[in-house]
Amino acid sequence: MKPTRILLLLAVAFALAACGFHLRKGVNLPADLGPLRVVSSDRYSGLAEALAQALARSGAIPAPDPVDVTAQPEDAESAIAPPADGTAQAAPQPARFATLNIRKVRWGSLPLSIDSRGRAQELSLRYAVEFDLLRADGSVLVPRQVVELARSYVTVPNNSIGTDSEQEILAKEMQRDMVSSIMRRIDAALQA
């Protein structure tokens, strides 16, 4: 029985190798990136915390405060204005750390199907995150981009006992998928 199991294991291993299966590698961050922090406007952002952990697992050197809470301006160019009295402002000092900025986070749900009484039977949960990655000197390493995810789920209008918990579980799974998607985007942008 033992030789049969060994042969079966070898056959499975060869089949996986023949089909091109391989484990996904982590993000290859540049060696000169230095300490990295994640900046979010949400103090309790689970996404920022999860991204900081994923980047640390990928070999990034975490900054002393790996997650920073800072209000993000809508557009950096429009936030800089000359002073009204005509005096020159001091040039902004570059950040000491490379920064992954989480610019915007949007959640929403949209009914996909409605019953005869106008109650939603199937909903689509949507999650969008806008981010960019900057070097410590302020140069753009990964340009600003948006990652969007959508998941559908069925609700029972007459019995809404499990609907809230189902939506919470789906939101946690989507956040985990969002971290993976952002990490893949960073890797793809760095490879290009």
Side-chain angles (χ1 to χ4, degrees), residues 22-28 58 187:
H22 61 280
L23 294 174
R24 184 176 296 155
K25 294 183 269 183
V27 176
N28 294 325
S58 292
D187 191 38

Side-chain angles (χ1 to χ4, degrees), residues 7 66-67 97 99 130 161:
L7 286 174
V67 177
F97 308 114
T99 307
E130 183 177 332
I161 292 173

Side-chain angles (χ1 to χ4, degrees), residues 12-21:
V12 169
F14 285 130
L16 283 175
C19 76
F21 174 80

Side-chain angles (χ1 to χ4, degrees), residues 46-183:
L47 176 66
E49 202 57 52
L51 278 168
Q53 292 171 0
L55 287 164
R57 283 191 304 269
S58 292
I61 302 166
D65 294 323
V67 177
D68 188 20
V69 180
T70 307
Q72 299 282 342
E74 290 298 317
D75 187 11
E77 289 81 299
S78 64
I80 300 172
D85 62 359
T87 60
Q89 287 182 332
Q93 297 296 321
R96 298 185 327 247
F97 308 114
T99 307
L100 174 62
N101 293 306
I102 301 173
R103 301 283 179 181
K104 294 179 186 175
V105 176
R106 291 183 300 271
W107 284 95
S109 62
L110 180 70
L112 297 176
S113 65
I114 298 173
D115 67 1
S116 61
R117 294 185 180 176
R119 296 177 294 192
Q121 290 182 324
E122 186 176 3
L123 292 169
S124 174
L125 187 61
R126 299 187 171 275
Y127 186 28
V129 175
E130 183 177 332
F131 73 96
D132 61 2
L133 180 61
L134 306 175
R135 290 184 184 272
D137 64 0
S139 62
V140 176
L141 192 59
V142 177
R144 189 181 290 198
Q145 50 191 281
V146 177
V147 177
E148 295 183 33
L149 299 176
R151 300 287 185 273
S152 300
Y153 66 100
V154 177
T155 64
V156 180
N158 298 333
N159 186 8
S160 63
I161 292 173
T163 302
D164 291 337
S165 62
E166 182 180 352
Q167 189 171 1
E168 287 175 21
I169 291 169
L170 194 58
K172 286 179 184 176
E173 288 177 6
M174 288 178 74
Q175 182 173 328
R176 205 170 33 244
D177 291 345
M178 182 61 74
V179 170
S180 297
S181 295
I182 290 174
M183 294 296 287

